[in-house]
C-alpha cells in the first residue's frame, strides 16, 4: 500500500486536472460540490485511491476518498493523457465509511 501511495503522490505532483464544464455544473446542482473543490481530496495525505471495478468498462476508473472542508469527499475520476479527469464528486456515506474504516475513525 505504501508503494501505491507514493505512486499516486508522484502522479499528483506532475498531473493536471480536467473535467467537462457541463458535468461540473450538473454536479454542483445535484451534489453541491464543484470539481474545483474536488481536487482537494487528492491533497489529503491519508486519501484512499480505489479502482472502480463496476464501471471500468472502456477505461479504468477510480475513486478518491479524501478529507475536504470538514468531511470525507468521494471523487470519481480516470487518468487520461497525464491528467486526472474528474467526472463526479460528493459527500457520500459509502465513501465516508470506507475512509473511516481504513483509519478506524469511529468507535
Amino acid at each position: 500500500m505504501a508503494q501505491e501511495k507514493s505512486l499516486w503522490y508522484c502522479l499528483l505532483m506532475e498531473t493536471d486536472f480536467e473535467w467537462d464544464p457541463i458535468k461540473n455544473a450538473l454536479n454542483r446542482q445535484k451534489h453541491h460540490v464543484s470539481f474545483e473543490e474536488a481536487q482537494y481530496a487528492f491533497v489529503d495525505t491519508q486519501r484512499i485511491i480505489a479502482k472502480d471495478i463496476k464501471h471500468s468498462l472502456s477505461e479504468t476508473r477510480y475513486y478518491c476518498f479524501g478529507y475536504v472542508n470538514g468531511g470525507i469527499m468521494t471523487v470519481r475520476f480516470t487518468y487520461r493523457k497525464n491528467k486526472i479527469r474528474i467526472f463526479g464528486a460528493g459527500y457520500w456515506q459509502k465513501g465516508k465509511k470506507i475512509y473511516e474504516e481504513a483509519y478506524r475513525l469511529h468507535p
Side-chain angles (χ1 to χ4, degrees):
M1 182 109 161
Q3 184 179 10
E4 185 176 330
K5 280 189 179 181
S6 25
L7 170 66
W8 279 106
Y9 180 78
C10 291
L11 288 174
L12 288 173
M13 298 314 295
E14 299 175 9
T15 303
D16 291 324
F17 290 85
E18 69 176 13
W19 50 78
D20 179 320
I22 294 171
K23 280 194 178 238
N24 186 20
L26 291 171
N27 198 83
R28 275 196 311 259
Q29 286 178 339
K30 186 174 181 181
H31 302 294
H32 310 288
V33 173
S34 72
F35 293 166
E36 291 88 356
E37 181 183 4
Q39 295 175 86
Y40 289 99
F42 293 87
V43 179
D44 178 0
T45 58
Q46 294 187 328
R47 72 188 168 279
I48 298 169
I49 304 290
K51 193 172 183 180
D52 180 356
I53 299 168
K54 189 175 182 181
H55 299 103
S56 294
L57 300 175
S58 60
E59 67 183 346
T60 305
R61 294 182 171 196
Y62 301 94
Y63 294 103
C64 175
F65 308 107
Y67 189 80
V68 179
N69 293 332
I72 307 305
M73 184 182 290
T74 301
V75 182
R76 297 177 60 224
F77 71 99
T78 191
Y79 190 70
R80 189 186 298 166
K81 297 180 184 176
N82 295 328
K83 292 185 181 183
I84 292 176
R85 183 167 183 84
I86 297 173
F87 52 86
Y91 292 97
W92 300 313
Q93 287 299 317
K94 188 172 182 178
K96 180 180 178 189
K97 182 179 177 184
I98 290 168
Y99 189 94
E100 288 177 343
E101 285 178 358
Y103 294 106
R104 298 179 183 11
L105 297 177
H106 56 83

